[in-house]
Amino acid sequence: MPAIVALPQVVEEMLVQFADVFPNEPARVHFAEYITGLLVAEHKTVSGIARAFADAPDQSCLNRFLTESPWQPDRLNDQRLEWLQHDPATRYRQDGVIPFDNTLIDHDGKLIDDVGWFWDHADQRHLIAHDYLFINYVNPSGKHYPLNFRRFRKREQCDDTHPFQSHTDLAKELIDWVVAEGIPGDFTFDRYFTNGPIMNHIQRHSRGYIGDLKFNRVITVSGQDMTVSAWVATLGPLVRTKFTGWQSHPMVLHKDGAHPEGHPPGAAAGAVVQCRCQRATQGARDQSHPLGSPPHPEGL
């Protein structure tokens, strides 16, 4: 691959927007090199990015910039989000959507902080990875971008400084952050996060959401337990079509109606439905598994 001899124009323009985030010119140069490397370098590691430049900085300089330099990532993220509000295609809107989900970033080494064995449902295999929970923003124009993230730590990796937090805890923390930042829009998430604690937490903030459920999940409607498929069958044809756009599972739409923990909501079409039980595999994904002993894919 040809060596990088100059910063791309898009990176030069970006430095104008974010220069004041960094304490000095060397830090700004390393930031520009790092972003350039993420865009065009073949290997996205610190050493791979350093090697990609013709006049290569020592990789230790770039490494110290990322791990020891006194710039503030939260300030950089706040300024990035503020910058995105100047474009109508990316600015916040009341009809925007705020999806969140976790994703695995695989690694080769076992000595990286917070890595562990995780089951990758997409590739159907175990891998050594970081488990990140991302919350994003989708403008009705179709433009989308990340808002913030949290990193999941297995129980044995936690201590008094970093107490254990489940995926549900991290999701609630990100929801609180979105509300505190005044970011408008409704939340959406897959069936792993469609559980009572998360839905009730969003409801307390008076926000709407769309969750995903399997047809065989048991829900409580007007005090009666039934499967999702049985509940969908009670709705009119137009509503039933709306809820069965996917063959494998319907979408459950929250509109209104407070439902404290354990209190069944109303049964009106399109109203809240509350899960009676959390997904069986959630506890398995949150429990401890030493690096040398990967978990069973179903947590058994």
Side-chain angles (χ1 to χ4, degrees):
M1 178 179 176
I4 302 170
V5 297
L7 298 177
Q9 182 178 350
V10 65
V11 177
E12 294 278 11
E13 294 173 353
M14 182 191 62
L15 277 178
V16 176
Q17 299 291 331
F18 302 108
D20 62 339
V21 175
F22 302 98
N24 50 52
E25 187 60 24
R28 287 187 280 273
V29 170
H30 288 315
F31 173 68
E33 291 168 342
Y34 183 62
I35 297 300
T36 300
L38 292 178
L39 290 172
V40 301
E42 182 178 359
H43 300 287
K44 313 296 184 182
T45 62
V46 170
S47 57
I49 290 172
R51 289 195 305 269
F53 283 85
D55 186 14
D58 189 276
Q59 68 89 22
S60 63
C61 297
L62 186 57
N63 187 57
R64 282 196 299 271
F65 161 73
L66 292 172
T67 59
E68 300 178 16
S69 182
W71 59 279
Q72 299 175 326
D74 288 342
R75 184 185 170 197
L76 176 62
N77 190 49
D78 290 343
Q79 197 155 320
R80 175 184 66 90
L81 296 177
E82 182 181 352
W83 179 43
L84 289 167
Q85 304 317 301
H86 296 294
D87 186 343
T90 55
R91 72 171 55 130
Y92 303 142
R93 287 175 36 170
Q94 289 295 331
D95 55 352
V97 177
I98 307 172
F100 60 85
D101 198 4
N102 65 312
T103 187
L104 300 179
I105 309 297
D106 60 305
H107 297 286
D108 293 326
K110 298 181 180 180
L111 301 180
I112 304 171
D113 288 347
D114 301 334
V115 298
W117 282 104
F118 293 94
W119 175 253
D120 187 338
H121 291 274
D123 293 340
Q124 292 292 298
R125 66 186 181 94
H126 291 103
L127 48 80
I128 298 174
H130 278 135
D131 186 354
Y132 285 98
L133 180 58
F134 284 94
I135 194 160
N136 300 305
Y137 195 82
V138 182
N139 183 286
S141 69
K143 300 288 186 181
H144 56 90
Y145 51 89
L147 293 171
N148 211 326
F149 71 92
R150 295 292 185 270
R151 190 162 76 203
F152 173 77
R153 293 179 174 89
K154 287 177 172 288
R155 195 178 298 274
E156 70 271 13
Q157 297 166 333
C158 298
D159 52 29
D160 292 339
T161 305
H162 298 288
F164 176 74
Q165 291 181 288
S166 67
H167 289 93
T168 294
D169 296 330
L170 296 175
K172 291 163 67 174
E173 190 174 290
L174 286 172
I175 291 165
D176 290 341
W177 177 87
V178 166
V179 173
E181 292 294 316
I183 300 173
D186 293 334
F187 296 94
T188 184
F189 37 88
D190 66 15
R191 61 179 178 259
Y192 179 71
F193 292 98
T194 304
N195 58 56
I198 287 179
M199 293 192 293
N200 282 298
H201 193 74
I202 297 173
Q203 172 61 25
R204 293 189 187 101
H205 289 300
S206 300
R207 290 292 190 98
Y209 61 80
I210 294 178
D212 188 12
L213 284 176
K214 286 184 176 181
F215 277 127
N216 62 359
R217 287 288 293 274
V218 177
I219 59 175
T220 302
V221 181
S222 294
Q224 180 181 356
D225 292 345
M226 64 178 70
T227 63
V228 173
S229 59
W231 176 72
V232 171
T234 66
L235 307 177
L238 292 179
V239 178
R240 186 159 61 248
T241 299
K242 179 179 181 180
F243 279 86
T244 55
W246 281 261
Q247 293 182 355
S248 59
H249 44 265
M251 302 297 287
V252 179
L253 176 64
H254 167 123
K255 277 299 182 186
D256 51 20
H259 50 293
E261 303 287 351
H263 182 74
V272 182
V273 293
Q274 182 181 11
C275 294
R276 187 165 62 104
C277 58
Q278 294 190 23
R279 188 163 183 254
T281 56
Q282 174 149 350
R285 292 183 66 177
D286 289 350
Q287 64 183 293
S288 302
H289 296 288
L291 277 176
S293 179
H296 188 279
E298 297 302 329
L300 300 176

